[in-house]
Amino acid sequence: MAAADDLRFQEFDDAESLLAVNREATTISIEDPGSKSHKPRRVAREKDDDHSLIGDTDSDKTELLAGQKKSAPFWTFEYYQTFFDVETYQVLDRIKGSILPWPGKNFVRLYVRNNPDLYGPFWICATLVFAIAISGNISSFLLCLGRPSHRYVPEFSKVTLAATAIYSYAWLVPLTLWGFLLWRNSRVMNVVSYSFLEIVCVYGYSLFVFIPAAVLWIIPSESVRWLSILVAMCLSGSVLVLTFWPAVRDDHRRIALATVTVIITLHVLLAVGCKEYFFDVQDITDPARSVGNLAGNKTALAAKPQ
Amino acid sequence: MAEVDDSNKPLFAGLSDVSISEDIPVEGEITVPVGPSSQDDAYSTLDEPVKETILRDLKAVGKKFVHVMYPRKSSALLRDWDLWGPLLLCVTLALMLQGGSADSKEDGGPQFAEVFVIIWFGSVVITLNSKLLGGTISFFQSLCVLGYCILPLTVAMIVCRLVLLGGSGTVSFIVRLVMVVASFSWSTFASTAFLADSQPANRKALVVYPIFLFYFVIGWMILTFSPSS
């Protein structure tokens, strides 16, 4: 029966054959913006597993899907709801993909798959901000344990600083990178460019591995801290490199290498900068400056009346 | 349709046996029997003493506090939302968190404005998050629930301050830690009980996690409060 066949996934050419046989057969057309938009997505997924690195085979379909998904005007609430169209297992999948980068698996093609979300980047950055601030607080508290001259201060202003640093990294760097890739795309025709949201997605999820690293930084041992920061930087850096290398490798050799180097350098700067600012340990032996630059005056003030 | 009529016919047939005039008195007045008539109710609150007005609102807030402390599947918090309770709790918490920083400006503890902003801005962000993920709850209902569920943490703050009056050694720290952990899990559990039903099933964890983070940060601020000595 034609009705039973229509409920199943069928190729597009079956529509014509159905119509040729029976004029009243219900067929599926790709212009329908309703529930049938799942079909082209499924076709793209089969091709994804074969060409997971190169995106140009389904780039026409990505254009099609991008046009179909965000059809609401940008001043309505529904437009922003399309950026949160993820389920729990999808978010967990993406996080898993960011921790375990595999050569040959492109994060954007494999996990994001034309459904970039803003939930992951936003809440991972928020968690990272609080993780760094709280771990920094705990580690400086542990350093000064048992020293009666020092008074514990929560150092709340560091949270604001951490928030500014991490959110600007997670949003401004993707903006610059997106603009740069767009510009190169106009010069060199076969450079694959990602959409802005996909780049934000990659950066946001790649920051996830720093959350357990920040918790490990509580341990007041320099070797543990440097080891954890190295491991975290390698993992998240390789996620970024595996994503962006196929996008720039068709460019001139130097420009491609320079782009990838800049990406890695910025990432390293963020990690090392956070560690150095929030967890400075060079003052273990010096009680007067034991809490770091911001609280330096306060401990002096507290120590004076005694 | 034929079956319905057949089943209805015996029902109506049975009713016809009832002699209405003897068993059920159907005479009487149709007007509403209460003293002031219902049309004047809307105006009468102007004439009532101020104490009654305030007490009525306080009773509503108190009833919602009870609902938070013993979270059951009741919709009282959601149906008649109000923001007085959250305001009261937020101001109390911010005042108590601030009391320890009298000696220097940059004491390091959160200032009143910081606590206020964190609580309200955090609630707004979590509400937006749950609405963007497709929740069916309204904006102010969610703010109301999140604000009321700060009550266990406020109680913990009061207890912590009392404990700190007795000294700030390791024992008091452990007592405070246990208090804060217990009240933080109570808050999260209570707000999840109210809010999680409005989400589709495959996104519940995505909505619960920011609530967990929010109360965790507030609990952290309470735990790290150190008074000026």
Side-chain angles (χ1 to χ4, degrees), chain A residues 162-305:
Chain A
T164 318
I166 290 178
Y167 271 103
S168 44
Y169 177 78
W171 290 85
L172 292 182
V173 172
L175 189 67
T176 331
L177 196 58
W178 173 69
F180 174 76
L181 285 179
L182 219 55
W183 173 59
R184 293 311 300 168
N185 203 12
S186 69
R187 295 286 193 95
V188 183
M189 267 307 136
N190 47 4
V191 168
V192 172
S193 82
Y194 302 110
S195 77
F196 171 61
L197 283 174
E198 288 171 348
I199 302 184
V200 166
C201 231
V202 172
Y203 265 89
Y205 280 103
S206 74
L207 285 177
F208 176 81
V209 74
F210 286 109
I211 296 178
V215 173
L216 276 181
W217 289 346
I218 296 179
I219 304 174
S221 147
E222 274 302 292
S223 50
V224 167
R225 289 186 181 175
W226 278 109
L227 186 66
S228 63
I229 206 179
L230 269 176
V231 169
M233 278 197 304
C234 284
L235 285 177
S236 62
S238 50
V239 168
L240 289 178
V241 165
L242 283 172
T243 307
F244 289 110
W245 179 246
V248 293
R249 71 176 166 202
D250 299 320
D251 210 344
H252 301 305
R253 197 81 188 161
R254 277 195 207 150
I255 297 188
L257 280 178
T259 314
V260 172
T261 315
V262 165
I263 292 177
I264 297 180
T265 315
L266 283 174
H267 215 64
V268 167
L269 272 179
L270 177 82
V272 175
C274 278
K275 181 194 172 299
E276 284 308 309
Y277 183 71
F278 292 100
F279 299 84
D280 52 355
V281 279
Q282 58 257 51
D283 317 299
I284 291 184
T285 54
D286 193 357
R289 290 180 55 217
S290 51
V291 188
N293 310 331
L294 265 183
N297 309 333
K298 298 186 278 273
T299 45
L301 269 175
K304 265 188 194 154

Side-chain angles (χ1 to χ4, degrees), chain A residues 1-29 39:
Chain A
M1 263 172 55
D5 282 342
D6 283 345
L7 295 175
R8 247 181 273 242
F9 172 70
Q10 42 182 315
E11 298 295 330
F12 292 125
D13 48 350
D14 278 349
E16 275 109 35
S17 56
L18 267 179
L19 276 176
V21 170
N22 179 10
R23 291 304 286 182
E24 265 118 345
T26 49
T27 58
I28 304 166
S29 64
K39 269 191 60 176

Side-chain angles (χ1 to χ4, degrees), chain A residues 77 80-81 84-88 91 119 122-123 126-127 130 134 137-138 151-156 294 298, chain B residues 103 106-110 114 118 125 129 131-134 202-203 205-206 209-210 213 216-217 220-221 224 226:
Chain A
F77 193 68
Y80 298 101
Q81 267 187 327
F84 282 77
D85 195 15
V86 278
E87 308 184 354
T88 313
V91 172
Y119 176 90
F122 182 76
W123 287 109
T127 314
F130 288 116
I134 291 179
N137 215 352
I138 294 180
R151 206 186 112 218
Y152 173 73
V153 284
E155 284 166 352
F156 198 71
L294 265 183
K298 298 186 278 273
Chain B
D103 50 358
E106 301 180 32
D107 186 64
E114 284 173 343
I118 281 190
V125 165
N129 176 63
K131 282 193 78 71
L132 282 169
L133 280 170
N202 49 1
R203 291 179 182 180
L206 295 184
Y209 172 71
L213 188 65
F216 183 81
V217 169
W220 174 256
M221 287 198 296
T224 62
S226 62

Side-chain angles (χ1 to χ4, degrees), chain B residues 159-223:
Chain B
V159 172
C160 281
R161 285 212 80 162
L162 290 174
V163 167
L164 275 172
L165 282 179
S168 51
T170 317
V171 174
S172 91
F173 176 72
I174 295 187
V175 169
R176 281 186 290 141
L177 180 69
V178 167
M179 257 317 292
V180 168
V181 166
S183 58
F184 145 74
S185 9
W186 197 338
S187 288
T188 313
F189 171 69
S191 62
T192 311
F194 288 116
L195 288 179
D197 285 338
S198 63
Q199 291 293 327
N202 49 1
R203 291 179 182 180
K204 281 208 166 65
L206 295 184
V207 170
V208 168
Y209 172 71
I211 299 179
F212 166 86
L213 188 65
F214 177 63
Y215 289 125
F216 183 81
V217 169
I218 297 183
W220 174 256
M221 287 198 296
I222 292 176
L223 188 61

